[in-house]
Amino acid sequence: MTTAQDLSHAHRLLASWYADGGRDDLAAHRRRHGSLPVLDVAGLADLVEAAGLRGRGGAGFPTAVKLRAVAARGVRARRRVPVVVANGCEGEPASRKDAVLLHHSPHLVLDGLAAAADALGADDAILCVHTGDPGLGDLRAAVSTRDDRVPARVVTVPRRYVASEESALVGYLSGRPALPTTTPPRPAERGVAGRPTLVDNVETLAHLALIAHHGPDWFRRAGTSDLPGTLLVTTGGALRDPGVDEVPGGTTVQAVLELAGGPAEPVQAILSGGYGGAWLGIDALATPLTHEAMRSAGSALGVPTLLALPTRVCGLGQTAHLLDHLAAESAGQCGPCRFGLPAIAQDLRAIVHGSPGAPDAHARLQRRLGTVDGRGACAHPDGSVRLVRSALRVFRHDLHDHLRGLPCAGAAAPALFPLPGRAR
C-alpha cells in the first residue's frame, strides 16, 4: 500500500513535467530513455508479461495477451497484415490523463506505438484523438520529427462518449459509424478493414515503451503485484488543487486526494472510475488503487478518476445530472440504452424531487436497473446501472429522506462535473 509520502519513484510517464514543468521533444526524450530497441513479437510479449502490464484504458486487460492474440491471428489470416491503434480520444468526460500524457510525453506514446508495430510486423500505426483536440497540431509536429519504420498517422474521431470504445474506433477507422458492440469478432481477430488490430490506450503504450526501454524488473519497482508500475489519476471536485497526478499502483484513494491538496470543503463521497464508475463513501478512503481492491470496495478502477463530492449538494441529484448526460450520449442502437437510460434518469429525478410518486418511482427504478443491466449492445448501459446502484447504496440515508418527501437543500444544485481542474 502506497501513501502520499512514498511517491519519489513514481515520476515516469510525466518525468518531463516533474523535472522542469516542460515537454519532451524527441532529443530530450532520447536523452531520457535512449533509442528504442527493436523486438520481435515474442520478445516484446515476454517482456510485457514479465512486467505484468495491464491496460490503462479502463478494463485492465493483460497487454501481453492482446499482443499474442493479434500476432496469432496475423499468422492464421494470410495476407492480413496487422494494424496498431493508439487510443488517445479520452471519451470519459471526467478524465484528462491522456491529454496530459500526450502533451508532456508524446514520444513515449509514439515509442510504444512504434514498438508494437515493429514487433507485429504492422504496416499501419494510427494515433486517434478527438475532433477539435487542442493538441492536434503539436502531435502532428511530434510525429513529423521521427523516422519510425511505420510512420504514425494521426486520425480524428467524433467527440462522443461511446465513439472511442475500441470496437467503435475500429468501425470508424474502417469507414463505418463509430458504434460500439460486444459481439464477436473482436479487433484482435478482425479489426480495421478486416485485419488483426491491436487497440491500446495511449497510457498503456507509453508503459509498453518504458518496459521496452528499461525492462520488466525496473517497471515492477513501482506498484503492486496486482498493478505493477504507475498510473495517471485525474482528480476533481471539492479539492484544493485538482488535476492529473502519476502515482504507483496501490496508492490509496486518500493519498491521491492529498496530492490534489486535500478537501477544499467537507466531502461526503468520491466518484471513482468516471461517469460509468461508482460512488465510494468516505469509509473507503483507505482503498488502494488496484483492480481487485476497488472491486471489493464496490467500484472499479476503470479510467482512474477521483471526484470529491461536497456535503452541501445532493448525491442523488448529482447522479441524476450524470444519468442525463449518459442517456444523451447513447448510440441509440439498442433498447436498453435508447429507452432504458432515459427512463432510469426520469425515475431518479422523480425521487430527487421528492414528489408523491417517489416511492413508486423507486420501485420502478429497481426493476428497470435489472432489466437494463447486461442486455445492451455494448457496456455503456452497464456502467450507467453501476453508477445508479452505487448512488442508492452510498446515499441511502438521503434516499430514505427523499422517499418520505423531506426537503433537500442540495437537490437543486447545478451539475458539478466535469470541473476545470488544472492539469499538473
Side-chain angles (χ1 to χ4, degrees), residues 6-376:
D6 186 29
L7 302 175
S8 59
H9 57 311
H11 305 162
R12 297 176 170 188
L13 298 170
L14 301 182
S16 63
W17 188 92
Y18 283 108
D20 55 19
R23 180 177 192 264
D24 275 351
D25 60 14
L26 184 58
H29 170 75
R30 292 286 182 253
R31 286 194 298 271
R32 195 182 301 278
H33 299 290
S35 298
L36 183 67
V38 178
L39 299 165
D40 62 19
V41 70
L44 182 60
D46 286 349
L47 286 179
V48 169
E49 181 179 45
L53 177 62
R54 299 173 68 165
R56 299 298 201 258
F61 194 77
T63 305
V65 174
K66 269 191 174 182
L67 278 167
R68 291 182 176 128
V70 174
R73 184 62 181 175
V75 170
R76 291 196 298 271
R78 296 179 181 179
R79 297 184 299 278
R80 292 290 186 179
V81 180
V83 176
V84 179
V85 176
N87 187 354
C89 292
E90 199 154 40
E92 171 52 58
S95 177
R96 299 181 66 195
K97 73 179 184 69
D98 293 343
V100 169
L101 175 63
L102 286 169
H103 175 75
H104 288 290
S105 305
H107 292 288
L108 201 54
V109 175
L110 293 170
D111 269 6
L113 186 60
D118 287 344
L120 289 166
D123 65 358
D124 197 4
I126 307 169
L127 172 56
C128 294
V129 295
H130 273 145
T131 301
D133 190 302
L136 183 60
D138 288 341
L139 284 177
R140 286 180 169 151
V143 168
S144 71
T145 65
R146 299 175 62 92
D147 59 353
D148 297 318
R149 180 187 66 83
V150 182
R153 58 188 180 101
V154 182
V155 174
T156 57
V157 177
R159 188 175 290 276
R160 292 293 304 278
Y161 187 78
V162 296
S164 59
E165 191 274 339
E166 69 170 13
S167 63
L169 208 55
V170 162
Y172 184 77
L173 294 172
S174 302
R176 302 188 300 274
L179 297 176
T181 179
T182 58
T183 58
R186 301 307 299 164
E189 300 170 327
R190 188 183 304 162
V192 176
R195 296 159 60 181
T197 301
L198 178 74
V199 183
D200 268 323
N201 174 261
V202 290
E203 185 186 342
T204 308
L205 288 171
H207 283 298
L208 183 147
L210 288 173
I211 294 165
H213 280 296
H214 304 293
D217 292 339
W218 173 90
F219 186 77
R220 284 185 174 273
R221 290 176 190 168
T224 68
S225 58
D226 171 41
L227 190 62
T230 62
L231 64 156
L232 300 177
V233 185
T234 306
T235 54
L239 300 170
R240 291 190 177 90
D241 191 20
V244 175
D245 285 291
E246 182 176 6
V247 300
T251 302
T252 64
V253 172
Q254 182 164 358
V256 176
L257 300 185
E258 289 172 2
L259 284 175
E265 57 182 296
V267 169
Q268 60 174 315
I270 305 294
L271 179 61
S272 67
Y275 284 20
W279 292 104
L280 294 173
I282 57 173
D283 56 343
L285 290 178
T287 304
L289 292 181
T290 67
H291 292 281
E292 280 69 18
M294 292 297 282
R295 188 160 44 246
S296 296
S299 182
L301 185 60
V303 178
T305 58
L306 298 173
L307 308 181
L309 183 73
T311 56
R312 61 181 167 82
V313 301
C314 173
L316 293 173
Q318 291 300 308
T319 305
H321 288 312
L322 297 177
L323 254 291
D324 287 340
H325 174 81
L326 293 172
E329 287 295 309
S330 165
Q333 60 179 338
C334 68
C337 209
R338 183 178 179 184
F339 303 111
L341 295 191
I344 288 172
Q346 184 178 16
D347 288 339
L348 193 54
R349 286 233 168 259
I351 294 170
V352 170
H353 293 153
S355 63
D360 291 338
H362 180 237
R364 192 167 55 244
L365 174 63
Q366 297 285 9
R367 292 195 300 271
R368 283 173 169 161
L369 291 174
T371 300
V372 168
D373 196 14
R375 290 177 169 85

